[in-house]
Amino acid sequence: MEIKENADLASRLLNVMEHDILPLTEKGVAGGNKVFGGALLRKSDLSLVMAQTNNETENPLWHGEVHLLKCFYEHPVSKTEKTKDMIFLSTHEPCTMCMSAIAWAGFDNFYYFFSHQDSRDSFAIPHDLKMLKEVFGLEPGGYNHDNAFWRGRGIFDVIASLPDDQAQPLLDQARRIRDRYADLSQAYQASKDDNAIPLN
């Protein structure tokens, strides 16, 4: 099923971030975890299948996206929902491990809010870009956003294609979401020395 990249999609992705992922992330950060999270939505009606957040204090592989997939496959909903029929929403541009997990799970897309550069510059978490460079020899943005497995797009790319009267309310909401994540990032950075996450 084709995904229509319009104001309705952008609005729904932002709403899921603000109302479904962020509350989970607030609890996760309070427990020492990073600010990353994700959600699965049905392509047919953009309804929420599941939302989750980072859980690296339990297992350093439980990035927001991978932890979401773990929880999805442990839940009965995975027996009735097909990944090809869902949208994968990631709060932050997925790292190389998470991109691969999205592909292995059979998703043909992902959408993200914060870029790898945001993770480095706004969240003081440079590991995504360092991994791309050190392991794969890629500069920022150097991976194939359109490939045989999936199409990866930033939510702001969708918003940029909209008329101003549709884009502005979404940008206002995005600013509010950014502010909340900035507060959570400060809380994580202040407490990260107390956790055992290898790449904190």
Side-chain angles (χ1 to χ4, degrees), residues 3-45:
I3 302 170
K4 295 180 180 178
E5 294 187 345
N6 54 27
D8 288 340
L9 174 66
S11 175
R12 181 61 179 145
L13 296 178
L14 292 178
N15 283 335
V16 169
M17 278 190 66
E18 186 169 21
H19 303 297
D20 297 292
I21 302 174
L22 260 169
L24 297 172
T25 301
E26 288 170 347
K27 294 177 183 176
V29 169
N33 292 291
K34 292 193 183 83
V35 297
F36 307 129
L40 308 177
L41 293 79
R42 294 176 183 89
K43 291 180 181 178
S44 59
D45 60 4

Side-chain angles (χ1 to χ4, degrees), residues 76-89:
V77 71
S78 65
K79 307 303 181 193
T80 59
E81 300 287 344
K82 296 180 179 179
T83 54
K84 68 180 180 65
D85 295 328
M86 288 187 282
I87 292 170
F88 198 108
L89 169 60

Side-chain angles (χ1 to χ4, degrees), residues 9 19 28 39 55 64-65 75 92 95 103 113 123 127 135 138 145 149 151 156 170 180 183 193 199:
L9 174 66
H19 303 297
N55 194 19
E65 299 91 336
H75 194 281
H92 295 66
C95 74
F113 185 89
F123 294 90
H127 313 303
V135 179
L138 296 174
H145 289 71
F149 298 103
R151 182 175 189 262
F156 286 101
L170 298 172
R180 289 183 67 187
D183 291 340
D193 290 342
L199 297 180

Side-chain angles (χ1 to χ4, degrees), residues 1 17 28 53 59 62 73 83 129 168 191 199:
M1 180 181 295
M17 278 190 66
T53 192
N59 183 325
W62 296 161
Y73 283 108
T83 54
L129 288 176
Q168 193 56 55
S191 66
L199 297 180

